[in-house]
Amino acid sequence: MKPPVRFPRLSSQSPYICNNCLLRTHRTSKLATQPLHRLYSSSSPNPASPHLPPAAGFTHLPSRRLIALTGPDSTHYLQGVITANLNPSPPRTSGFYAAFLNAQGRLLNDVFIYPYTEPGKDSASGNGKGEGWLIEVDAKEVTVLAKHIKRYKLRAKFDVRVLDVGERGVWSVWEEGGEGWTMHALAGSGSGSESGGVGVGVGAGSGGSLNGGKAGGKEGVITCLDKRAPGMGRRFLLPGDTKPEIDAQESSEDVYRVRRYLKGVPEGQDELIREHALPQESNVDFMGGIDYKKGCYVGQELTIRTHHRGVVRKRILPIMLYGMEDGEPTSLEYDPRRGLGVEGIPRETGIGRFEKKGRSAGKFLAGVGNVGLGLCRLETMTDVLVQGEAGGYREGDEFTVQWEEEGEGKMLKIKAFVPSWHLKQ
């Protein structure tokens, strides 16, 4: 016979504390006992940080992969699952930005979609077998999205194929001030027309300019303007190891990240968290990825309701991080010499008021050097007025992000900036 289990007697003067509270208390006390000089991080030389983005340049983007949808029903299927319109007037002749949502209206993947003709398939007969689209998506999500499409295609007649890494490369080409940019109208529908362009040659000795869209153009090049924000340039899908031939500096993808952060452009599911991010909070509307006049698509109900209510309380904004003893910055500037360790800040770490209590002001999403992106509560961290909110921001308010790294508590100040291309709410 087993001996009876005896539970210790709880003192009436010692209230019960659950395990979750004990863990939170332990973490808080651990941070509180850290020396102040550890909490108050400062800058130091950081040779590993990306250099300043050049005014004109190009970057290969291995973080992006491609999925081909080809067949007679590919257009009809895509029209019902993405936020942009595949059939605007005039018709699309080049790629465009859009997003896949789930049924609850939360973001699955941010994508570029390009008109495409599958090489070797019979498209001249008019049966549509070779006609379709290329979907550019986060490389970490390419298999997940391909499975998602196959799962819900049902009896639709089209093929789904993930392109091999060496089959086509995704490139970003830019020239600051080299082409015009038109602010997106939220009430309007997207258009397939393009204006302006970056003069780029492809391959050795080509030396031409590219304005084409579909495959089958010059050496099978597929291209489109990146209209998400001013100065984002142009996207290129180039065959094999082909590089854009342009009189500009080739840069690493980290430099491209710095450009995106400075412009406030999130990309990929490390920054747009799958099944959590909302399209308007992620600026998909401001970046021209939502057509509010198109017909039904998956996730439309919440998206259109949010649009008509006209209230978006949080948005992803560019942020600048600085030391606890530094003065508040007045403009968003990237400094590659700053070694703040922002790359070690966990994603979705909370942003709080400096020396003030209150609800969370936002969440840190990603960063490099001294800049990054954060999901910011507009009425708290900026002077943007939100309908139905009191507007708690005051000039001089400061905010902090606090985290733990290798048992050491760290803290930095953080400031959000509203890009000039954001529409007025």
Side-chain angles (χ1 to χ4, degrees), residues 34 99 112 115 172 185 232 251 268 340 393:
Q34 297 292 341
F112 278 88
S172 174
M232 285 303 294
S251 303
L340 298 175
Y393 176 78

Side-chain angles (χ1 to χ4, degrees), residues 184-360:
H184 300 286
L186 295 186
S189 60
S191 170
S193 62
E194 290 192 8
S195 61
V198 182
V200 182
V202 178
S206 58
S209 63
L210 294 172
N211 294 303
K214 282 195 176 185
K218 191 167 187 176
E219 299 186 24
V221 173
I222 302 174
T223 179
C224 76
L225 286 174
D226 187 344
K227 299 180 180 181
R228 292 176 295 177
M232 285 303 294
R234 184 179 283 270
R235 312 286 275 199
F236 280 87
L237 309 184
L238 303 182
D241 297 329
T242 308
K243 289 185 178 183
E245 191 173 276
I246 180 175
D247 186 17
Q249 178 182 344
E250 181 174 1
S251 303
S252 69
E253 189 167 13
D254 283 339
V255 173
Y256 169 79
R257 284 178 59 207
V258 172
R259 290 193 79 250
R260 284 198 298 104
Y261 293 169
L262 291 173
K263 295 179 182 298
V265 176
E267 182 176 285
Q269 275 48 77
D270 285 343
E271 298 161 12
L272 301 170
I273 302 171
R274 183 182 177 88
E275 296 185 306
H276 283 83
L278 292 167
Q280 284 98 340
E281 290 182 357
S282 304
N283 301 326
V284 178
D285 53 348
F286 284 2
M287 295 188 290
I290 301 177
D291 188 335
Y292 290 111
K293 291 186 176 181
K294 70 172 285 188
C296 295
Y297 57 89
V298 177
Q300 183 197 33
E301 183 178 354
L302 176 63
T303 305
I304 198 73
R305 186 165 67 241
T306 302
H307 170 63
H308 286 305
R309 285 180 175 175
V311 180
V312 179
R313 293 181 171 83
K314 293 178 287 184
R315 284 195 180 269
I316 293 179
L317 299 177
I319 55 174
M320 185 171 171
L321 298 103
Y322 56 105
M324 299 299 295
E325 298 177 358
D326 296 339
E328 182 181 4
T330 57
S331 60
L332 180 64
E333 296 179 359
Y334 171 65
D335 186 352
R337 299 169 298 176
R338 304 280 293 193
L340 298 175
V342 302
E343 294 82 359
I345 303 177
R347 185 178 66 179
E348 295 195 279
T349 296
I351 300 172
R353 290 179 178 271
F354 178 52
E355 296 182 340
K356 292 182 181 180
K357 294 183 179 180
R359 64 179 177 177
S360 172

Side-chain angles (χ1 to χ4, degrees), residues 401-422:
V401 58
Q402 182 175 331
W403 77 103
E404 188 175 343
E405 187 175 331
E406 297 180 354
E408 182 178 347
K410 297 191 175 183
M411 183 186 293
L412 288 170
K413 288 183 179 179
I414 186 169
K415 183 176 176 62
F417 292 85
V418 180
S420 59
W421 55 270
H422 275 206

Side-chain angles (χ1 to χ4, degrees), residues 16-24:
Y16 170 74
I17 302 177
C18 71
N19 289 333
N20 289 333
C21 292
L22 284 172
L23 287 173
R24 286 198 296 268

Side-chain angles (χ1 to χ4, degrees), residues 376-394:
C376 303
R377 194 174 291 277
L378 296 175
E379 81 279 2
T380 304
M381 294 191 68
T382 75
D383 58 1
V384 174
L385 297 179
V386 178
Q387 181 180 343
E389 298 290 339
Y393 176 78
R394 297 292 182 269

